[in-house]
Structure formats: structure tokens, C-alpha cells
Amino acid sequence: MVSFDHREPGTDPAVWTPFLDTRSAAPVDLGGIGSVVVLAPHPDDETLGAGGLIATAADAGLPTHVVLLTRGERSHPDSPTTTASELATVRDDEFTRALATLHPGVTASSVGISDGGTREHRDEVTDALRRALDDAARPTLVVAPWRGDGHRDHRIAGEVAEAVTAEAAGVSLLTYPIWAWHWDDPSASAQPWDRARVLPLADAVRERKRAALDAYASQVRPLSGAAGDEAIIDDRHAAHHLRSTEWFFVPEPTASRSRESFDAHYERKPEGWDFERSWYERRKRAVTLAALPRERYRSALELGCATGVLTAALAERADAVLGTDISAAPLARAAVRAPGARFVQASLPAEWPAGRWDLVVMSEVGYYLSPDDLDETIDRVLGSLDDDGVLVACHWRHPDDEAVSSGDAVDARLAERWPRPALVRHVEPDFVLSVLPGPGVVSVARAEGLVR
């Protein structure tokens, strides 16, 4: 955690100028974006870090919404003239006026977490962002503080934004620095400049940003001449944010769960999960098999077959079954459990097996894949599935510390990418199951000739 004092002069804004002039960064591209959601830990963070982007997006007609987490009432903890309650009311009004200055069409919601308390209320931050995304037109650009900014509330907001956007379909993320300009050193910068994006600001937008910042009188001017009432954002600090450009970072790409982590899991637990004794597992397996629209298949592919318990059941419904897993250890057990099936160790989607299939099963696998790997896996399935084939995807809906997304996020992405509606979609508190058909699949009754 970075330690800094906002009362110290900090890095001279002029020192950043030659550094930024030499940075090569892709521009922020709002083309194709359906809406923008900005996460602000305190009133004024949205203007300092993303005021130009807010104004630019709103000018372009994009619905733009700011989620304010705290009221910023602890900005002057040593003030002898103003209480925290009084400051909260002042900053509420300043926030409203600042947004109207950036663009009158910008909307906002306030969560009301205590200033400095986001760590203790992380779930409320998560819920607030998810609610905003529920109402946002896709594709949605989320803009949130950079998690390395050095302020605890900024870190929590950044971490939550990364987690929520990683599991949401049709959502991208940009993060903005606030205090890093103050404490960081351009000669040995800690900021991820290899992932930087830059937004040039039109003169009129820059002037509206300047006016919006000026609306925060409690922050840019002293509350009084008394000690403890000094300006939080003096001219020197404001200069960092009133440049002709705004700078953002894209999050580091999420990696799929590693082979090493699965190997370690099977070393601790050779059977992996309690597939055979757990009623939950046995019932889920029965639901999965019951959802198959055909009694028999020519060629089935199971992605992430683990120790082969489901594979053995699939072998009773298919002429040929291939099971794959990233780890070698469970495949040895799977070969014993399902001797009629074939098994290959493979890291998907890169090591995709050759062949065509009329049944592909993805059970409890998708949320271990990065967004890019999940998309490529979907493409691979579509490219190797026969017209009369189906993909059956079943995923746990509760948190998993080893997962990189969630079962709901995987199911949503499958629905978004699959070219046809689901034939079956079963949702309950513990898992979600979807059967996604090829172009030649018809309903069971139609296949049986019961309806025309």
C-alpha cells in the first residue's frame, strides 16, 4: 500500500509533461459503446479522473451514469469550523452541480457508504455497480479508479470494478489515477503505462471540466483560514487533472486457471471433487443427462472431464466419447472408470482435439477460462459441432476462489455468442444448465413425429 500525504507538494506537474509527451498510447475509443458507468469513491473523483470522458460521452449522446460511493465527509477531519455531517451536505450539492456542469444529461446514484469505509462495505460497492450495469445499455464502458492509486477507497473501488466487469457480458473497463500523479515518480513510475489509453480533450470539454472542478469549493479552496481547513486540491494538484488529455489504464488481461493449480488440487484430492457420493453432484448429473434432447449420439466430446464420472454416463449414450482435461492425474482414474471412452490431456482452447461432434459437454469448466479463452472455446465448439449437435453447459452459481469468472457470467456469454436460442435453460440457486442447439436440431416431440 502506498503511503502519501496530500498536504505535501508531491510531484511537480511539470515533471510529468515531458514523460507524457513521449508515451505512445492507444486512444480511448467510444465508438460502438452503448453507455458509460463511472464509479467514484468520493465527490470530485469523477471530475478529476474522468470529467473529460464523462462530458465527451454525454456530448456524443451516450447514456452516462455516475455511481457515487461515499459523500466525502471526512475530507477535513481536523477542521475546527465544519463537522463531517455539514461537509456531507455541502459535498452532495457540489457533486450535483459538478455533474450538471460536465453535462446536464448525466445521471447519478449515491450509495452513502461512510467515507473511508469501502473496505468494510465491499459487498455494497459490488451490488451498486451491478445494479448500475443491470440498467445500462450494452456494450457498457465502466470507468473506475486505478486499484494502485494509493487511497484505500480507490483501491477497493478498483478491485470491485475489475471483478464485476470480468464476469459481466458486454462490459469493458478503463481505470483512472487520482493520487498517483501526486506520489508517483515519472523516472521510475509504478503505473502500468504499457496498458495506458489516452483521451484528448476538446478545448470546450476541458473548460467544462475546469468549471466542474471549481464547483467543489470545499475541496479547491480553504474552508477558512484556520489550521485543518486547508484546500485538499490546491492549484498544484489540480494541474495534474486539467491537462488537455486524460489518461486511463485497461486492466491486466485475466488468465485462465493454470495447469499447475489443477495439478496441485489433484495431488491434495486424487478424486478431485466428491462426484460419486455427493447428492448434489449425482442429482446435477441426472439433470444434465435428462436435458439431452436425443437418446443416443454418434460422437461426444467432454471438456474438463476430471475423473470421468460423467464421462462414464455419457459413454452409455454415445457411440464414441472423448474426454479431455488439463491435468494428467485425473485422466488415469477416468480411464479406469470409463474404459469405453478415449481420453486426451489438453489445455483448452489452444490444444483443441481434432474431430467433429454431435454432443459437446462443458460441465463446471467455463468459469476457469479467461474471457478470451472462453470466447475461443465457444468458437471452437461452433466450428466442430455437427448441424444436429448440441452443446450442453452446466455451471455452479456460487463463488469459487479458483474461478476467474462465474457460472452466471459463462451462461450469459454463451447465450450472447451462440447463434440460436437455447433449447433448454434450467436455472436454480446452485447451478445453471443450458442446451444450445446446432441449426438442424428440433424439439424432442417434433423429432419423434408427435407434432408437425
Side-chain angles (χ1 to χ4, degrees):
M1 181 69 177
V2 175
S3 177
F4 65 90
D5 188 335
H6 73 273
R7 295 167 295 187
E8 295 178 351
T11 304
D12 187 338
V15 175
W16 281 107
T17 300
F19 175 87
L20 295 175
D21 287 345
T22 62
R23 302 311 303 177
S24 176
V28 173
D29 184 6
L30 296 176
I33 295 295
S35 63
V36 175
V37 173
V38 179
L39 197 60
H42 314 97
D44 74 15
D45 287 334
E46 81 296 328
T47 296
L48 290 167
L53 188 151
I54 291 171
T56 301
D59 284 351
L62 298 179
T64 303
H65 184 82
V66 179
V67 179
L68 178 63
L69 300 180
T70 82
R71 300 171 72 190
E73 70 274 11
R74 294 184 63 232
S75 64
H76 291 76
D78 300 321
S79 172
T81 65
T82 309
T83 67
S85 177
E86 291 169 338
L87 262 177
T89 300
V90 168
R91 298 196 73 183
D92 285 346
D93 181 61
E94 291 173 342
F95 175 69
T96 299
R97 286 189 287 113
L99 288 192
T101 301
L102 290 173
H103 194 285
V106 176
T107 59
S109 54
S110 180
V111 184
I113 296 168
S114 60
D115 191 358
T118 54
R119 183 173 64 184
E120 293 76 21
H121 297 275
R122 183 188 289 261
D123 287 348
E124 291 179 47
V125 178
T126 300
D127 290 344
L129 181 54
R130 285 176 173 164
R131 285 196 301 271
L133 290 177
D134 285 343
D135 297 331
R138 297 292 197 270
T140 307
L141 173 63
V142 172
V143 186
W146 175 50
R147 65 189 300 173
D149 198 47
H151 189 294
R152 183 172 71 170
D153 284 341
H154 294 197
R155 175 175 61 83
I156 299 301
E159 289 175 352
V160 168
E162 288 193 16
V164 170
T165 56
E167 67 178 28
V171 177
S172 57
L173 175 65
L174 289 176
T175 64
Y176 56 84
I178 298 285
W179 288 109
W181 299 113
H182 174 81
W183 57 257
D184 198 11
D185 179 358
S187 67
S189 180
Q191 299 179 74
W193 294 104
D194 59 321
R195 294 186 274 113
R197 299 292 184 269
V198 63
L199 178 68
L201 304 183
D203 289 344
V205 167
R206 188 180 178 192
E207 286 307 309
R208 278 152 57 195
K209 179 174 178 175
R210 187 187 301 275
L213 182 57
D214 194 59
Y216 286 105
S218 71
Q219 305 302 298
V220 301
R221 290 184 282 279
L223 299 178
S224 77
D229 276 354
E230 297 84 359
I232 303 301
I233 305 166
D234 58 18
D235 290 344
R236 181 183 174 99
H237 186 70
H240 290 299
H241 302 279
L242 295 176
R243 298 180 182 276
S244 60
T245 52
E246 281 183 342
W247 292 82
F248 302 90
F249 305 116
V250 295
E252 187 173 4
T254 303
S256 296
R257 185 177 173 184
S258 69
R259 173 171 282 158
E260 290 75 16
S261 71
F262 280 104
D263 288 345
H265 175 83
Y266 284 109
E267 186 173 349
R268 294 190 308 270
K269 299 176 65 176
E271 279 293 341
W273 292 264
D274 195 6
F275 294 117
E276 291 190 303
R277 293 184 301 172
S278 163
W279 167 237
Y280 165 79
E281 290 289 349
R282 287 185 285 129
R283 175 180 174 274
K284 182 187 68 175
R285 194 158 54 249
V287 172
T288 301
L289 294 166
L292 299 181
R294 292 210 326 254
E295 185 174 9
R296 190 144 194 95
Y297 291 86
R298 297 182 299 274
S299 182
L301 170 65
E302 184 183 4
L303 309 178
C305 65
T307 56
V309 179
L310 178 58
T311 322
L314 293 174
E316 297 178 3
R317 300 277 297 273
D319 298 334
V321 178
L322 174 64
T324 72
D325 202 273
I326 192 172
S327 184
L331 292 178
R333 292 177 176 267
V336 173
R337 184 169 275 125
R342 187 165 58 92
F343 296 95
V344 172
Q345 183 181 4
S347 177
L348 303 177
E351 299 171 344
W352 193 261
R356 295 199 61 82
W357 327 94
D358 58 340
L359 172 62
V360 177
V361 177
M362 180 196 298
S363 182
E364 313 293 7
V365 174
Y367 46 63
Y368 294 131
L369 298 173
S370 71
D372 286 346
D373 282 351
L374 176 60
D375 279 353
E376 186 177 345
T377 297
I378 296 170
D379 290 339
R380 295 275 198 170
V381 173
L382 286 167
S384 58
L385 191 70
D386 287 337
D387 285 354
D388 63 344
V390 295
L391 167 65
V392 179
C394 183
H395 289 91
W396 172 251
R397 300 185 67 206
H398 298 290
D400 180 343
D401 290 341
E402 299 286 354
V404 300
S405 66
S406 68
D408 286 341
V410 171
D411 188 71
R413 188 59 173 164
L414 283 164
E416 183 178 27
R417 293 287 314 282
W418 202 262
R420 287 162 290 280
L423 192 68
V424 176
R425 189 166 186 269
H426 171 86
V427 184
E428 57 180 78
D430 297 326
F431 68 90
V432 55
L433 181 146
S434 291
V435 178
L436 301 165
V441 176
V442 297
S443 75
V444 174
R446 194 170 300 279
E448 288 275 289
L450 302 178
V451 294
R452 294 185 179 182

